[in-house]
Coordinates of all heavy atoms in Angstrom, one line a residue:
M1 N -3.1 -26.5 -48.6 CA -3.9 -25.3 -48.1 C -3.4 -25.0 -46.7 O -2.8 -25.8 -46.0 CB -5.4 -25.6 -48.0 CG -6.1 -25.3 -49.2 SD -6.0 -23.6 -49.6 CE -7.3 -23.5 -50.8
N2 N -3.7 -23.8 -46.3 CA -3.3 -23.3 -44.9 C -4.4 -23.5 -43.9 O -5.3 -22.7 -43.9 CB -2.9 -21.8 -45.0 CG -2.4 -21.3 -43.7 OD1 -2.4 -22.1 -42.7 ND2 -1.9 -20.1 -43.6
D3 N -4.4 -24.6 -43.2 CA -5.4 -24.9 -42.2 C -4.9 -24.8 -40.8 O -5.4 -25.5 -39.9 CB -6.1 -26.2 -42.5 CG -5.1 -27.3 -42.6 OD1 -3.9 -27.1 -42.4 OD2 -5.5 -28.5 -42.9
T4 N -3.9 -24.0 -40.6 CA -3.4 -23.8 -39.3 C -4.4 -23.0 -38.4 O -5.0 -22.1 -39.0 CB -2.1 -22.9 -39.3 OG1 -1.4 -23.2 -40.5 CG2 -1.2 -23.1 -38.1
V5 N -4.6 -23.4 -37.2 CA -5.6 -22.7 -36.4 C -4.8 -21.6 -35.6 O -3.8 -21.9 -34.9 CB -6.2 -23.7 -35.4 CG1 -7.2 -23.0 -34.5 CG2 -6.9 -24.8 -36.1
T6 N -5.2 -20.4 -35.8 CA -4.6 -19.3 -35.0 C -5.4 -18.9 -33.9 O -6.7 -18.7 -34.0 CB -4.2 -18.1 -35.9 OG1 -5.4 -17.8 -36.6 CG2 -3.1 -18.4 -36.9
K7 N -4.8 -18.7 -32.7 CA -5.5 -18.2 -31.6 C -5.9 -16.8 -31.7 O -5.1 -16.0 -32.3 CB -4.6 -18.4 -30.3 CG -4.6 -19.8 -29.7 CD -4.2 -19.8 -28.2 CE -2.7 -19.8 -28.1 NZ -2.2 -19.7 -26.8
P8 N -7.1 -16.4 -31.2 CA -7.4 -15.0 -31.3 C -6.4 -14.2 -30.4 O -6.0 -14.7 -29.4 CB -8.8 -14.9 -30.7 CG -9.0 -16.2 -30.0 CD -8.1 -17.2 -30.6
K9 N -6.1 -13.0 -30.9 CA -5.1 -12.2 -30.1 C -5.8 -11.7 -28.8 O -6.8 -11.1 -28.9 CB -4.6 -11.0 -30.9 CG -3.6 -11.5 -32.0 CD -2.8 -10.3 -32.5 CE -1.8 -10.8 -33.6 NZ -1.9 -10.1 -34.8
T10 N -5.1 -11.9 -27.7 CA -5.6 -11.3 -26.5 C -4.7 -10.2 -26.0 O -3.5 -10.2 -26.2 CB -5.6 -12.4 -25.3 OG1 -4.3 -13.0 -25.3 CG2 -6.6 -13.4 -25.6
R11 N -5.3 -9.1 -25.5 CA -4.5 -8.0 -25.1 C -4.1 -8.2 -23.6 O -4.9 -8.3 -22.8 CB -5.2 -6.7 -25.2 CG -5.3 -6.2 -26.7 CD -5.5 -4.7 -26.7 NE -5.6 -4.3 -28.1 CZ -4.5 -4.0 -28.8 NH1 -3.3 -4.1 -28.3 NH2 -4.6 -3.7 -30.1
T12 N -2.7 -8.1 -23.4 CA -2.3 -8.2 -22.0 C -2.2 -6.8 -21.5 O -1.6 -5.9 -22.1 CB -0.8 -8.8 -22.0 OG1 -0.8 -9.9 -22.9 CG2 -0.5 -9.3 -20.6
K13 N -2.8 -6.6 -20.4 CA -2.8 -5.2 -19.8 C -1.4 -4.9 -19.3 O -0.8 -5.7 -18.5 CB -3.8 -5.1 -18.6 CG -5.2 -4.9 -19.0 CD -5.6 -3.4 -18.6 CE -6.9 -3.0 -19.3 NZ -8.0 -3.7 -18.8
V14 N -0.8 -3.8 -19.7 CA 0.5 -3.4 -19.2 C 0.2 -2.2 -18.2 O -0.2 -1.1 -18.7 CB 1.5 -3.0 -20.3 CG1 2.8 -2.5 -19.7 CG2 1.6 -4.1 -21.3
E15 N 0.5 -2.4 -16.9 CA 0.3 -1.3 -16.0 C 1.4 -0.3 -16.0 O 2.6 -0.7 -16.1 CB 0.1 -1.9 -14.6 CG -1.0 -2.9 -14.4 CD -2.4 -2.2 -14.4 OE1 -2.4 -1.0 -14.1 OE2 -3.4 -2.9 -14.6
R16 N 1.1 0.9 -15.9 CA 2.1 1.9 -15.7 C 2.7 1.8 -14.3 O 2.0 1.6 -13.4 CB 1.5 3.3 -15.8 CG 1.4 3.9 -17.2 CD 0.7 5.3 -17.1 NE 0.0 5.6 -18.3 CZ 0.5 5.9 -19.4 NH1 1.8 6.0 -19.6 NH2 -0.3 6.1 -20.5
P17 N 4.1 2.0 -14.2 CA 4.6 1.9 -12.8 C 4.1 3.1 -12.0 O 4.0 4.2 -12.6 CB 6.1 2.0 -13.1 CG 6.3 2.5 -14.5 CD 5.1 2.2 -15.2
K18 N 3.8 2.9 -10.8 CA 3.3 3.9 -9.9 C 4.4 5.0 -9.7 O 5.6 4.6 -9.5 CB 2.8 3.4 -8.6 CG 1.6 2.5 -8.8 CD 0.6 2.8 -7.6 CE -0.8 2.2 -8.0 NZ -0.8 0.8 -8.4
L19 N 4.0 6.2 -9.7 CA 5.1 7.3 -9.4 C 5.1 7.6 -8.0 O 4.1 7.5 -7.2 CB 4.7 8.5 -10.3 CG 4.8 8.2 -11.8 CD1 4.4 9.4 -12.6 CD2 6.3 7.8 -12.2
H20 N 6.3 8.0 -7.6 CA 6.5 8.4 -6.2 C 7.1 9.9 -6.1 O 8.0 10.2 -7.0 CB 7.5 7.5 -5.5 CG 6.9 6.2 -5.2 ND1 6.7 5.7 -3.9 CD2 6.3 5.2 -6.0 CE1 6.1 4.5 -3.9 NE2 5.9 4.2 -5.2
K21 N 6.6 10.6 -5.2 CA 7.1 12.0 -5.1 C 8.3 12.1 -4.2 O 8.4 11.4 -3.2 CB 6.0 12.9 -4.4 CG 4.7 12.9 -5.1 CD 3.7 13.8 -4.4 CE 2.9 13.0 -3.4 NZ 1.6 13.6 -3.0
V22 N 9.2 13.0 -4.6 CA 10.3 13.3 -3.7 C 9.9 14.6 -3.0 O 9.5 15.6 -3.7 CB 11.7 13.5 -4.4 CG1 12.8 14.0 -3.5 CG2 12.1 12.2 -5.1
I23 N 10.0 14.6 -1.7 CA 9.5 15.8 -0.9 C 10.6 16.4 -0.1 O 11.3 15.7 0.6 CB 8.3 15.4 0.0 CG1 7.2 14.9 -0.9 CG2 7.8 16.6 0.8 CD1 6.1 14.1 -0.1
L24 N 10.7 17.7 -0.2 CA 11.7 18.5 0.6 C 11.1 18.9 1.9 O 10.0 19.5 1.8 CB 12.2 19.7 -0.2 CG 13.0 20.7 0.4 CD1 14.4 20.1 0.8 CD2 13.2 21.9 -0.5
I25 N 11.7 18.6 3.0 CA 11.2 19.0 4.3 C 12.0 20.2 4.9 O 13.2 20.2 4.8 CB 11.3 17.8 5.3 CG1 10.8 16.5 4.7 CG2 10.7 18.1 6.7 CD1 9.3 16.5 4.5
N26 N 11.2 21.1 5.4 CA 11.9 22.3 6.0 C 12.5 21.9 7.4 O 12.2 20.9 8.0 CB 10.8 23.4 6.3 CG 11.5 24.7 6.8 OD1 12.6 25.0 6.3 ND2 10.8 25.3 7.7
D27 N 13.6 22.7 7.7 CA 14.2 22.6 9.1 C 14.7 24.0 9.4 O 14.7 24.9 8.6 CB 15.3 21.5 9.1 CG 16.5 21.9 8.3 OD1 17.2 22.8 8.7 OD2 16.7 21.3 7.2
D28 N 15.1 24.1 10.7 CA 15.5 25.5 11.1 C 17.0 25.8 10.9 O 17.5 26.8 11.3 CB 15.2 25.7 12.6 CG 13.7 25.7 12.8 OD1 12.9 26.0 11.8 OD2 13.2 25.5 13.9
Y29 N 17.8 24.8 10.5 CA 19.2 24.9 10.5 C 19.9 25.0 9.2 O 21.0 25.6 9.0 CB 19.8 23.7 11.3 CG 19.2 23.6 12.7 CD1 18.2 22.7 13.0 CD2 19.6 24.5 13.7 CE1 17.6 22.7 14.2 CE2 19.0 24.5 15.0 CZ 18.0 23.5 15.2 OH 17.4 23.5 16.5
T30 N 19.4 24.3 8.2 CA 20.1 24.3 6.9 C 20.0 25.6 6.2 O 18.9 26.2 6.1 CB 19.5 23.2 5.9 OG1 19.4 21.9 6.7 CG2 20.3 23.0 4.7
P31 N 21.1 26.2 5.8 CA 21.0 27.5 5.1 C 20.2 27.5 3.8 O 20.3 26.5 3.1 CB 22.5 27.9 4.8 CG 23.3 27.0 5.7 CD 22.5 25.8 5.9
R32 N 19.4 28.5 3.5 CA 18.6 28.6 2.3 C 19.5 28.4 1.0 O 19.1 27.7 0.1 CB 18.0 30.0 2.2 CG 16.9 30.2 3.2 CD 16.4 31.6 2.9 NE 15.4 32.0 3.9 CZ 14.6 33.0 3.7 NH1 14.5 33.7 2.6 NH2 13.7 33.3 4.6
E33 N 20.7 29.0 1.0 CA 21.6 28.9 -0.1 C 22.0 27.4 -0.4 O 22.1 27.0 -1.5 CB 22.8 29.7 0.0 CG 22.6 31.2 0.2 CD 22.0 31.6 1.6 OE1 22.2 30.8 2.6 OE2 21.3 32.6 1.6
F34 N 22.2 26.7 0.7 CA 22.6 25.3 0.6 C 21.5 24.4 0.0 O 21.7 23.6 -0.9 CB 23.1 24.7 1.9 CG 23.6 23.3 1.8 CD1 24.9 23.1 1.4 CD2 22.8 22.2 2.1 CE1 25.4 21.8 1.3 CE2 23.2 20.9 2.0 CZ 24.5 20.7 1.6
V35 N 20.2 24.7 0.5 CA 19.1 24.0 0.0 C 18.9 24.2 -1.5 O 18.8 23.3 -2.3 CB 17.8 24.4 0.7 CG1 16.6 23.6 0.1 CG2 17.9 24.2 2.2
T36 N 19.1 25.5 -1.9 CA 18.9 25.8 -3.4 C 20.0 25.2 -4.2 O 19.8 24.6 -5.3 CB 19.0 27.4 -3.5 OG1 18.0 28.0 -2.7 CG2 18.8 27.8 -4.9
M37 N 21.2 25.1 -3.6 CA 22.4 24.5 -4.3 C 22.1 23.0 -4.5 O 22.4 22.5 -5.6 CB 23.7 24.7 -3.5 CG 24.9 24.2 -4.1 SD 25.2 22.5 -3.9 CE 25.5 22.4 -2.1
I38 N 21.6 22.3 -3.5 CA 21.4 20.9 -3.6 C 20.3 20.6 -4.7 O 20.4 19.6 -5.4 CB 20.8 20.3 -2.2 CG1 21.9 20.3 -1.2 CG2 20.2 18.9 -2.4 CD1 22.5 18.9 -1.0
L39 N 19.2 21.4 -4.7 CA 18.2 21.2 -5.6 C 18.7 21.4 -7.1 O 18.3 20.6 -8.0 CB 17.0 22.2 -5.4 CG 16.2 21.9 -4.1 CD1 15.3 23.1 -3.8 CD2 15.4 20.6 -4.2
K40 N 19.6 22.3 -7.3 CA 20.2 22.5 -8.6 C 21.1 21.3 -8.9 O 21.1 20.8 -10.0 CB 21.1 23.8 -8.6 CG 20.2 25.0 -8.7 CD 20.9 26.3 -8.2 CE 22.1 26.7 -9.1 NZ 22.8 27.9 -8.7
A41 N 21.9 20.9 -8.0 CA 22.9 19.9 -8.3 C 22.3 18.5 -8.4 O 22.7 17.7 -9.3 CB 24.0 19.8 -7.2
E42 N 21.4 18.1 -7.5 CA 20.8 16.8 -7.5 C 19.6 16.6 -8.3 O 19.3 15.5 -8.7 CB 20.5 16.3 -6.0 CG 21.8 16.3 -5.1 CD 22.8 15.3 -5.6 OE1 22.4 14.2 -6.0 OE2 24.0 15.6 -5.5
F43 N 18.9 17.7 -8.6 CA 17.6 17.5 -9.3 C 17.6 18.4 -10.6 O 16.6 18.5 -11.2 CB 16.4 17.9 -8.4 CG 16.3 17.0 -7.3 CD1 16.8 17.3 -6.0 CD2 15.6 15.8 -7.4 CE1 16.7 16.4 -4.9 CE2 15.5 14.9 -6.3 CZ 16.1 15.2 -5.1
R44 N 18.8 18.9 -11.0 CA 19.0 19.6 -12.2 C 18.0 20.7 -12.4 O 17.4 20.9 -13.5 CB 18.9 18.6 -13.4 CG 20.0 17.5 -13.3 CD 20.0 16.6 -14.5 NE 21.3 16.0 -14.6 CZ 22.4 16.5 -15.2 NH1 22.3 17.7 -15.7 NH2 23.5 15.8 -15.3
M45 N 17.8 21.5 -11.3 CA 16.8 22.6 -11.4 C 17.6 23.9 -11.8 O 18.8 24.0 -11.4 CB 16.2 22.9 -10.1 CG 15.1 21.8 -9.7 SD 14.3 22.3 -8.2 CE 13.2 20.9 -8.1
T46 N 16.9 24.8 -12.4 CA 17.5 26.2 -12.6 C 17.5 26.9 -11.3 O 16.8 26.5 -10.3 CB 16.6 27.0 -13.6 OG1 15.3 27.1 -13.0 CG2 16.5 26.3 -14.9
E47 N 18.3 27.9 -11.2 CA 18.4 28.7 -9.9 C 17.0 29.2 -9.5 O 16.6 29.1 -8.4 CB 19.3 29.9 -10.2 CG 19.4 31.0 -9.1 CD 20.2 30.5 -7.9 OE1 21.2 29.8 -8.2 OE2 19.9 30.9 -6.8
D48 N 16.2 29.7 -10.5 CA 14.9 30.2 -10.3 C 14.0 29.2 -9.7 O 13.3 29.5 -8.7 CB 14.4 30.7 -11.6 CG 13.3 31.7 -11.5 OD1 13.4 32.6 -10.6 OD2 12.2 31.6 -12.1
L49 N 13.9 28.0 -10.3 CA 13.0 27.0 -9.8 C 13.5 26.5 -8.4 O 12.6 26.3 -7.5 CB 12.9 25.8 -10.8 CG 12.0 24.7 -10.4 CD1 10.5 25.2 -10.1 CD2 12.0 23.6 -11.4
A50 N 14.8 26.3 -8.3 CA 15.3 25.8 -7.0 C 15.0 26.7 -5.9 O 14.6 26.3 -4.8 CB 16.8 25.6 -7.1
Y51 N 15.1 28.0 -6.2 CA 14.8 29.0 -5.1 C 13.3 29.0 -4.8 O 12.9 29.0 -3.6 CB 15.1 30.5 -5.6 CG 14.8 31.5 -4.5 CD1 15.7 31.7 -3.5 CD2 13.6 32.2 -4.5 CE1 15.4 32.6 -2.4 CE2 13.3 33.1 -3.5 CZ 14.2 33.3 -2.5 OH 13.9 34.1 -1.4
K52 N 12.4 28.8 -5.8 CA 11.0 28.8 -5.5 C 10.6 27.5 -4.7 O 9.7 27.6 -3.8 CB 10.2 28.7 -6.9 CG 10.1 30.1 -7.5 CD 9.4 30.1 -8.8 CE 9.3 31.5 -9.4 NZ 9.2 31.5 -10.9
V53 N 11.2 26.4 -5.0 CA 10.9 25.1 -4.3 C 11.4 25.3 -2.8 O 10.7 24.9 -1.9 CB 11.6 23.9 -5.0 CG1 11.5 22.7 -4.1 CG2 10.8 23.7 -6.3
M54 N 12.6 25.8 -2.7 CA 13.2 26.0 -1.3 C 12.3 26.9 -0.5 O 12.0 26.6 0.7 CB 14.6 26.6 -1.5 CG 15.3 26.9 -0.2 SD 14.8 28.4 0.7 CE 15.4 29.6 -0.5
I55 N 11.9 28.1 -1.1 CA 11.1 29.0 -0.3 C 9.7 28.5 0.0 O 9.1 28.8 1.1 CB 11.1 30.4 -1.0 CG1 11.0 31.6 0.0 CG2 10.0 30.6 -2.0 CD1 12.2 31.7 0.9
T56 N 9.2 27.6 -0.8 CA 7.9 27.0 -0.6 C 8.0 26.1 0.6 O 7.2 26.1 1.5 CB 7.4 26.3 -1.8 OG1 7.2 27.2 -2.9 CG2 6.0 25.6 -1.6
A57 N 9.0 25.3 0.6 CA 9.3 24.3 1.8 C 9.5 25.2 3.0 O 9.0 24.8 4.1 CB 10.4 23.4 1.5
H58 N 10.2 26.2 2.9 CA 10.5 27.1 4.1 C 9.3 27.7 4.7 O 9.1 27.7 5.9 CB 11.5 28.2 3.6 CG 11.8 29.2 4.7 ND1 12.6 29.0 5.7 CD2 11.3 30.5 4.8 CE1 12.7 30.1 6.5 NE2 11.9 31.0 5.9
K59 N 8.3 28.1 3.8 CA 7.1 28.7 4.3 C 6.0 27.8 4.7 O 5.3 28.0 5.7 CB 6.5 29.7 3.2 CG 7.4 30.9 3.0 CD 6.8 31.8 1.9 CE 7.5 33.1 1.8 NZ 7.2 33.8 0.5
L60 N 5.9 26.7 4.0 CA 4.8 25.7 4.2 C 5.2 24.5 5.0 O 4.3 23.7 5.4 CB 4.1 25.3 2.9 CG 3.6 26.4 2.0 CD1 3.0 25.8 0.7 CD2 2.6 27.3 2.7
G61 N 6.5 24.2 5.1 CA 7.0 23.0 5.8 C 7.5 21.9 4.9 O 8.3 21.1 5.4
A62 N 7.0 21.9 3.7 CA 7.4 20.8 2.8 C 7.0 21.3 1.4 O 6.2 22.1 1.2 CB 6.7 19.5 3.1
C63 N 7.7 20.7 0.4 CA 7.4 21.0 -1.0 C 7.8 19.8 -1.9 O 8.8 19.2 -1.7 CB 8.2 22.2 -1.5 SG 7.7 22.7 -3.2
V64 N 6.9 19.4 -2.8 CA 7.2 18.3 -3.8 C 8.3 18.8 -4.7 O 8.2 19.9 -5.3 CB 6.0 17.9 -4.6 CG1 6.3 16.9 -5.7 CG2 4.9 17.4 -3.7
V65 N 9.3 18.0 -4.9 CA 10.5 18.4 -5.7 C 10.3 17.8 -7.1 O 10.5 18.5 -8.1 CB 11.8 17.8 -5.1 CG1 13.0 18.0 -6.0 CG2 12.1 18.4 -3.7
A66 N 9.9 16.6 -7.2 CA 9.7 15.9 -8.5 C 9.1 14.6 -8.3 O 8.9 14.1 -7.2 CB 11.1 15.7 -9.1
V67 N 8.6 13.9 -9.4 CA 8.1 12.6 -9.3 C 8.9 11.6 -10.2 O 9.3 12.0 -11.3 CB 6.6 12.5 -9.7 CG1 5.7 13.1 -8.6 CG2 6.3 13.1 -11.0
F68 N 9.1 10.4 -9.7 CA 9.9 9.4 -10.4 C 9.3 8.0 -10.1 O 8.4 7.9 -9.3 CB 11.3 9.4 -9.8 CG 12.1 10.7 -10.0 CD1 12.3 11.5 -8.8 CD2 12.6 11.1 -11.2 CE1 13.0 12.7 -8.9 CE2 13.4 12.2 -11.3 CZ 13.6 13.0 -10.2
T69 N 9.8 7.0 -10.8 CA 9.4 5.6 -10.4 C 10.0 5.4 -8.9 O 10.8 6.2 -8.5 CB 10.0 4.6 -11.3 OG1 11.4 4.8 -11.3 CG2 9.4 4.7 -12.7
K70 N 9.4 4.4 -8.3 CA 9.7 4.2 -6.8 C 11.2 4.2 -6.6 O 11.8 4.9 -5.7 CB 9.1 2.9 -6.4 CG 9.1 2.6 -4.9 CD 8.3 1.4 -4.5 CE 8.0 1.3 -3.1 NZ 9.0 0.6 -2.3
D71 N 11.9 3.3 -7.3 CA 13.4 3.2 -7.1 C 14.2 4.5 -7.3 O 15.0 4.8 -6.5 CB 14.0 2.1 -8.1 CG 13.6 0.7 -7.7 OD1 12.9 0.6 -6.7 OD2 14.1 -0.2 -8.4
V72 N 13.8 5.2 -8.4 CA 14.6 6.4 -8.7 C 14.3 7.4 -7.6 O 15.2 8.1 -7.1 CB 14.2 6.9 -10.1 CG1 14.9 8.3 -10.4 CG2 14.7 5.9 -11.2
A73 N 13.0 7.6 -7.2 CA 12.7 8.5 -6.1 C 13.5 8.2 -4.9 O 14.0 9.1 -4.3 CB 11.2 8.5 -5.9
G74 N 13.5 7.0 -4.5 CA 14.2 6.6 -3.3 C 15.7 6.9 -3.4 O 16.3 7.4 -2.4
T75 N 16.3 6.5 -4.5 CA 17.7 6.8 -4.7 C 18.0 8.3 -4.6 O 19.0 8.7 -4.0 CB 18.2 6.2 -6.1 OG1 17.8 4.8 -6.1 CG2 19.7 6.4 -6.3
K76 N 17.2 9.1 -5.3 CA 17.5 10.5 -5.4 C 17.3 11.1 -4.0 O 18.1 12.0 -3.6 CB 16.5 11.2 -6.3 CG 16.7 10.8 -7.8 CD 17.2 11.9 -8.6 CE 17.2 11.5 -10.0 NZ 18.2 12.4 -10.8
A77 N 16.3 10.8 -3.3 CA 16.0 11.3 -1.9 C 17.2 11.0 -1.0 O 17.7 11.8 -0.2 CB 14.7 10.8 -1.4
T78 N 17.6 9.7 -1.0 CA 18.7 9.3 -0.2 C 20.0 10.0 -0.5 O 20.7 10.5 0.4 CB 18.9 7.7 -0.3 OG1 17.7 7.1 0.0 CG2 20.0 7.2 0.6
R79 N 20.3 10.1 -1.8 CA 21.5 10.7 -2.2 C 21.6 12.2 -1.8 O 22.6 12.7 -1.2 CB 21.6 10.6 -3.7 CG 23.0 10.6 -4.3 CD 22.9 10.6 -5.8 NE 23.5 11.8 -6.3 CZ 24.6 11.7 -7.1 NH1 25.1 10.6 -7.4 NH2 25.2 12.9 -7.4
A80 N 20.5 12.9 -2.0 CA 20.4 14.4 -1.7 C 20.5 14.6 -0.2 O 21.2 15.4 0.3 CB 19.1 15.0 -2.2
T81 N 19.8 13.7 0.6 CA 19.9 13.7 2.1 C 21.3 13.5 2.5 O 21.9 14.1 3.4 CB 18.9 12.7 2.7 OG1 17.6 13.1 2.3 CG2 19.0 12.8 4.2
D82 N 22.0 12.5 1.9 CA 23.4 12.1 2.3 C 24.4 13.2 2.0 O 25.3 13.4 2.8 CB 23.8 10.8 1.6 CG 23.1 9.6 2.1 OD1 22.5 9.7 3.2 OD2 23.3 8.5 1.5
V83 N 24.2 13.9 0.9 CA 25.1 15.1 0.6 C 25.0 16.1 1.7 O 26.0 16.6 2.2 CB 24.8 15.7 -0.8 CG1 25.6 17.0 -1.0 CG2 25.0 14.7 -1.9
A84 N 23.7 16.4 2.1 CA 23.5 17.4 3.2 C 24.1 16.9 4.5 O 24.8 17.7 5.2 CB 22.0 17.6 3.4
R85 N 24.0 15.6 4.8 CA 24.5 15.0 6.1 C 26.1 15.2 6.0 O 26.7 15.5 7.1 CB 24.2 13.6 6.2 CG 22.8 13.3 6.6 CD 22.4 13.8 8.0 NE 21.0 13.5 8.2 CZ 20.0 14.1 7.6 NH1 20.2 15.1 6.8 NH2 18.7 13.8 7.9
S86 N 26.7 14.9 4.9 CA 28.1 15.0 4.8 C 28.7 16.4 5.0 O 29.8 16.6 5.4 CB 28.6 14.5 3.4 OG 28.3 15.4 2.4
K87 N 27.8 17.4 4.9 CA 28.2 18.8 5.2 C 27.7 19.2 6.6 O 27.8 20.4 7.0 CB 27.6 19.7 4.2 CG 28.0 19.4 2.7 CD 29.4 19.8 2.5 CE 29.8 19.4 1.0 NZ 31.3 19.3 0.8
G88 N 27.1 18.2 7.3 CA 26.6 18.5 8.7 C 25.3 19.2 8.8 O 24.9 19.7 9.9
Y89 N 24.5 19.1 7.8 CA 23.1 19.7 7.8 C 22.0 18.6 8.0 O 22.2 17.5 7.4 CB 22.8 20.5 6.6 CG 23.8 21.7 6.4 CD1 24.5 21.9 5.3 CD2 23.9 22.7 7.5 CE1 25.4 23.0 5.2 CE2 24.7 23.8 7.4 CZ 25.5 23.9 6.2 OH 26.3 25.0 6.1
P90 N 20.9 19.0 8.7 CA 19.9 18.0 8.9 C 18.8 17.9 7.8 O 17.8 17.4 8.0 CB 19.2 18.5 10.2 CG 19.4 20.0 10.1 CD 20.7 20.2 9.4
L91 N 19.1 18.5 6.7 CA 18.2 18.6 5.5 C 17.7 17.2 5.2 O 18.5 16.2 5.1 CB 18.9 19.2 4.3 CG 18.0 19.5 3.1 CD1 16.9 20.6 3.4 CD2 18.8 20.0 1.9
L92 N 16.4 17.1 4.9 CA 15.7 15.8 4.7 C 14.9 15.8 3.4 O 14.1 16.7 3.2 CB 14.9 15.4 5.9 CG 14.2 14.1 5.8 CD1 15.1 12.9 5.7 CD2 13.2 13.9 7.0
F93 N 15.1 14.8 2.6 CA 14.2 14.5 1.5 C 13.5 13.2 1.7 O 14.2 12.2 2.1 CB 15.0 14.4 0.2 CG 15.6 15.7 -0.3 CD1 16.8 16.2 0.2 CD2 15.0 16.5 -1.3 CE1 17.4 17.4 -0.2 CE2 15.5 17.7 -1.7 CZ 16.7 18.1 -1.2
T94 N 12.2 13.2 1.6 CA 11.5 11.9 1.8 C 10.8 11.5 0.5 O 10.8 12.3 -0.4 CB 10.4 12.1 2.9 OG1 9.5 13.1 2.5 CG2 11.0 12.4 4.3
T95 N 10.1 10.4 0.5 CA 9.3 10.0 -0.7 C 8.0 9.5 -0.2 O 7.8 9.0 0.9 CB 10.0 8.8 -1.5 OG1 10.0 7.7 -0.7 CG2 11.4 9.2 -1.9
E96 N 7.0 9.7 -1.1 CA 5.7 9.0 -0.9 C 5.0 8.7 -2.2 O 5.2 9.5 -3.2 CB 4.8 9.9 0.1 CG 4.4 11.2 -0.5 CD 3.4 12.0 0.5 OE1 3.8 12.2 1.6 OE2 2.3 12.2 0.1
P97 N 4.2 7.7 -2.2 CA 3.5 7.3 -3.5 C 2.5 8.4 -3.9 O 1.9 9.0 -3.0 CB 2.8 6.0 -3.2 CG 2.8 5.8 -1.7 CD 3.9 6.7 -1.2
E98 N 2.4 8.6 -5.2 CA 1.4 9.6 -5.7 C 0.0 8.9 -5.6 O -0.1 7.7 -5.9 CB 1.7 9.9 -7.2 CG 2.5 11.1 -7.3 CD 2.2 11.8 -8.6 OE1 1.9 11.1 -9.6 OE2 2.2 13.1 -8.6
E99 N -1.0 9.7 -5.4 CA -2.4 9.1 -5.3 C -2.8 8.6 -6.7 O -2.5 9.1 -7.7 CB -3.4 10.2 -4.8 CG -3.1 11.0 -3.6 CD -2.0 12.1 -3.9 OE1 -2.2 12.8 -4.9 OE2 -1.1 12.2 -3.2
Ligands
TYC101 N1 14.3 27.1 7.1 C1 15.7 27.2 6.6 C2 16.3 28.5 7.2 O1 15.6 29.4 7.5 C3 15.9 27.1 5.1 C4 15.3 25.8 4.6 C5 14.4 25.9 3.5 C6 15.7 24.6 5.1 C7 13.9 24.7 3.0 C8 15.1 23.4 4.6 O2 13.7 22.4 3.1 C9 14.2 23.5 3.6 N2 17.6 28.6 7.2

C-alpha cells in the first residue's frame, strides 16, 4: 500500500520586482531636436511620443520616460546620458523607485 506521508503544499510568496522610473530632466542648452532623437534611439519611441515627452520636460522641468526593473532603468539612464555627454550636451536622465 502507499503509506508515504506527503507534506501539505505551502505557497511561497513571489514578490514582483520593484519598478524604477527613468526621468528626463530639462536644461537650457541641449537642443530640442537632440532630446527627441535620443528618446527615439534609446527608448524606441515614435517621433510623436518623443516630441511630447521632450516638450513636457521642457515646460515642467522633468518627465517620466518609462519604467523598468532597477538594473534596466539604471543602465538605460546612464547610457542615454552618456550619449548626450559624448556630443557635449548636459542632458540628464535620472532614476527613482516607483511608489
Ligand atoms: N530646454 C531645452 C531648450 O530649450 C530643450 C530640452 C528639452 C532640454 C527637454 C532637455 O529634457 C530636456 N533647448
Side-chain angles (χ1 to χ4, degrees):
M1 271 299 195
N2 183 357
D3 52 5
T4 327
V5 180
T6 52
K7 276 203 275 179
K9 282 196 181 131
T10 52
R11 285 206 179 274
T12 320
K13 277 254 168 67
V14 181
E15 298 289 340
R16 275 180 209 283
K18 292 220 166 53
L19 294 176
H20 287 242
K21 298 180 275 197
V22 173
I23 299 165
L24 170 66
I25 308 294
N26 186 38
D27 67 71
D28 291 340
Y29 305 101
T30 310
R32 292 179 183 202
E33 298 71 29
F34 184 81
V35 180
T36 304
M37 184 279 291
I38 290 258
L39 290 170
K40 285 162 64 181
E42 299 295 322
F43 296 94
R44 300 183 159 277
M45 287 187 183
T46 59
E47 173 77 31
D48 200 45
L49 180 59
Y51 182 81
K52 283 178 180 154
V53 169
M54 179 281 294
I55 211 68
T56 302
H58 175 74
K59 287 179 177 163
L60 303 181
C63 183
V64 175
V65 173
V67 290
F68 300 104
T69 54
K70 188 172 196 273
D71 283 5
V72 175
T75 304
K76 296 248 186 201
T78 303
R79 210 183 117 115
T81 301
D82 286 352
V83 173
R85 288 294 179 288
S86 75
K87 303 288 179 200
Y89 297 125
L91 186 64
L92 180 64
F93 291 83
T94 61
T95 64
E96 65 177 60
E98 267 211 321
E99 311 77 47

